[in-house]
Short mmCIF file of all heavy atoms in Angstrom, two decimals:
data_model
loop_
_atom_site.label_atom_id
_atom_site.label_comp_id
_atom_site.label_asym_id
_atom_site.label_seq_id
_atom_site.Cartn_x
_atom_site.Cartn_y
_atom_site.Cartn_z
N MET A 1 46.43 8.86 -15.47
CA MET A 1 46.33 7.99 -14.29
C MET A 1 46.68 6.56 -14.70
O MET A 1 46.17 6.02 -15.66
CB MET A 1 44.91 8.04 -13.72
CG MET A 1 44.73 7.23 -12.47
SD MET A 1 43.04 7.43 -11.79
CE MET A 1 43.15 6.27 -10.43
N GLU A 2 47.53 5.95 -13.93
CA GLU A 2 47.99 4.61 -14.27
C GLU A 2 46.91 3.57 -13.95
O GLU A 2 46.28 3.61 -12.89
CB GLU A 2 49.26 4.30 -13.47
CG GLU A 2 49.92 3.00 -13.90
CD GLU A 2 51.22 2.77 -13.14
OE1 GLU A 2 51.78 3.76 -12.63
OE2 GLU A 2 51.64 1.62 -13.08
N GLU A 3 46.65 2.64 -14.91
CA GLU A 3 45.64 1.61 -14.69
C GLU A 3 46.11 0.62 -13.65
O GLU A 3 47.29 0.30 -13.55
CB GLU A 3 45.36 0.87 -16.00
CG GLU A 3 44.57 1.68 -17.01
CD GLU A 3 44.19 0.83 -18.21
OE1 GLU A 3 44.62 -0.34 -18.27
OE2 GLU A 3 43.46 1.32 -19.07
N LYS A 4 45.14 0.14 -12.86
CA LYS A 4 45.44 -0.87 -11.84
C LYS A 4 44.57 -2.08 -12.10
O LYS A 4 43.35 -2.01 -12.00
CB LYS A 4 45.18 -0.32 -10.44
CG LYS A 4 45.59 -1.28 -9.34
CD LYS A 4 45.35 -0.65 -7.97
CE LYS A 4 45.78 -1.62 -6.87
NZ LYS A 4 45.54 -1.05 -5.53
N ILE A 5 45.16 -3.18 -12.49
CA ILE A 5 44.42 -4.40 -12.82
C ILE A 5 44.52 -5.35 -11.64
O ILE A 5 45.61 -5.69 -11.18
CB ILE A 5 44.99 -5.06 -14.09
CG1 ILE A 5 44.87 -4.10 -15.28
CG2 ILE A 5 44.27 -6.38 -14.38
CD1 ILE A 5 45.51 -4.60 -16.55
N ILE A 6 43.33 -5.76 -11.16
CA ILE A 6 43.28 -6.70 -10.04
C ILE A 6 42.90 -8.07 -10.59
O ILE A 6 41.86 -8.23 -11.22
CB ILE A 6 42.25 -6.25 -8.99
CG1 ILE A 6 42.62 -4.87 -8.46
CG2 ILE A 6 42.15 -7.26 -7.85
CD1 ILE A 6 41.58 -4.27 -7.54
#
Side-chain angles (χ1 to χ4, degrees):
M1 183 176 176
E2 188 177 339
E3 287 187 355
K4 185 178 181 181
I5 299 175
I6 300 173

